[in-house]
Amino acid sequence: MGIFASVNGNVVPAEQARVSVLDNGFTFGDAVYETLRTYRGRPFHLDRHLERLRASAARLGFAAPSGDEVFARRLDELLARAGNEESYIRIILTRGEGDISYRFDRVTGPTLVMVVKPFEPPPARDYAEGIAIVIASVRRNHPRALDPAIKSNNLLNNILAVREGQGRGAAEAILLNDLGEVAEGASSNVFVVKAGRVSTPPLDAGILSGITRRIVLDLCRELGIPAREETLIAADLFAADEVFITSTTKEAAPVRTVDGKLVGAGGPGPVHQRILQAYRDYALRSVSR
Ligand code: PDD
């Protein structure tokens, strides 16, 4: 059990893993990443995460090793070595090793790092009572400056929001976009429920296309819950019957307060409960296939 890493295919305990100080990921933050988790020891939706990783890298003009099998094989080896009951998985792909310059022709790469560690689920209390979120004062990166659809290691925008949220006692900080519309959480997507209808901001609000978000929208359709992507503003969060956030690690976490104000009756709502149950069922089904 423990934290293990694979650096370009070499599996070692994480504390022994090394990447060059000349790696562009280190010198420029020139890297993309994915966070996955396992259910029953199996990676959940490796296919969709790799698709997004490739898309992120392509937007920055470098490529992931071709073939999902390479990733699957290396990840299987890493998970087997780590032997955790459930694992948190981080895949990091950098442009490669350069010479601390913008001479991309001198970069040898890419560098592919995978790290697995025991998965720590969020506290059960978060699901029983709901979490506190706040609306951050920092705005989401403007898509024409740094497109939030690129899941990059440049997480300073997110870190500023998270630090503000933590300072205000919140489990997640919601970022508005440049227009003042609701974008997304610092590491999650956000949903509201009003009069039985589920809404979440559209991708052109300048957000990451969350894999959990997509699954939740699809599950709503299967469950017969009306759901749509639409522009939301902060007032929609305050006026909602229910609010919840989605991410790989949090699944669908109910929100108890926004900026200290109770959402609806203040606990997890019935629509969220149905969605969370359906999501967990789907995750277990999908890893057993
Ligand atoms: N965060 N929005 C942002 C900015 C994110 O960083 C994430 C994921 C999401 C949700 O995406 P998904 O459902 O695919 O996990 C939305 C991961 C968990 C992370 O940063 O570790």
Side-chain angles (χ1 to χ4, degrees):
M1 289 243 306
I3 314 186
F4 282 77
S6 156
V7 180
N8 293 327
N10 298 319
V11 175
V12 286
E15 69 273 12
Q16 291 170 26
R18 295 286 175 270
V19 174
S20 165
V21 295
L22 295 177
D23 196 283
N24 266 36
F26 180 68
T27 52
F28 293 102
D30 190 7
V32 295
Y33 80 99
E34 284 294 321
T35 299
L36 293 79
R37 61 157 292 183
T38 61
Y39 287 90
R40 298 205 172 117
R42 304 298 312 143
F44 176 54
H45 267 310
L46 179 61
D47 53 350
R48 294 194 191 185
H49 284 279
L50 290 180
E51 189 185 341
R52 191 169 64 186
L53 185 80
R54 291 184 194 289
S56 295
R59 285 174 192 229
L60 293 172
F62 62 96
S66 58
D68 286 5
E69 321 75 53
V70 180
F71 287 87
R73 201 168 1 93
R74 287 187 185 174
L75 189 52
D76 279 349
E77 192 190 340
L78 188 57
L79 289 169
R81 179 79 179 274
N84 302 319
E85 196 177 315
E86 297 292 4
S87 292
Y88 171 104
I89 303 164
R90 173 67 63 111
I91 303 179
I92 300 165
L93 182 76
T94 85
R95 190 183 302 274
E97 200 176 323
D99 67 350
I100 329 185
S101 79
Y102 285 128
R103 291 289 304 268
F104 298 111
D105 55 321
R106 294 182 182 163
V107 177
T108 317
T111 305
L112 174 59
V113 175
M114 299 190 197
V115 183
V116 303
K117 62 177 184 174
F119 178 70
E120 284 179 57
R125 207 177 134 179
D126 287 2
Y127 297 91
E129 296 176 9
I131 60 170
I133 65 171
V134 291
I135 298 171
S137 59
V138 59
R139 295 286 167 103
R140 192 70 177 110
N141 283 327
H142 194 291
R144 289 169 67 184
L146 177 58
D147 189 348
I150 303 174
K151 195 162 173 58
S152 93
N153 276 29
N154 281 266
L155 286 165
L156 297 183
N157 183 220
N158 315 58
I159 286 172
L160 289 172
V162 169
R163 286 183 54 80
E164 182 184 339
Q166 289 175 352
R168 294 165 63 189
E172 177 63 306
I174 304 297
L175 294 109
L176 306 179
N177 66 17
D178 188 52
L179 299 170
E181 302 159 350
V182 174
E184 62 184 331
S187 62
S188 61
N189 293 111
V190 61
F191 285 75
V192 302
V193 184
K194 184 75 183 169
R197 212 185 70 197
V198 170
S199 312
T200 194
L203 297 183
D204 63 16
I207 62 172
L208 183 76
S209 176
I211 289 165
T212 320
R213 170 187 180 276
R214 183 70 259 158
I215 294 168
V216 164
L217 286 170
D218 291 344
L219 287 173
C220 283
R221 197 171 319 123
E222 278 175 34
L223 293 168
I225 300 171
R228 64 181 192 186
E229 300 172 64
E230 66 179 338
T231 302
L232 299 175
I233 57 171
D236 295 315
L237 298 183
F238 295 117
D241 300 328
E242 302 177 34
V243 174
F244 61 93
I245 59 169
T246 63
S247 82
T248 294
T249 49
K250 292 192 164 71
E251 301 175 315
V255 171
R256 180 175 166 75
T257 59
V258 179
D259 283 351
K261 298 182 190 72
L262 280 185
V263 174
V271 176
H272 163 265
Q273 298 286 71
R274 282 181 74 200
I275 291 171
L276 177 61
Q277 190 55 52
Y279 182 83
R280 287 179 170 163
D281 291 347
Y282 170 82
L284 293 177
R285 268 201 321 275
S286 120
V287 294
S288 343
R289 264 188 251 132

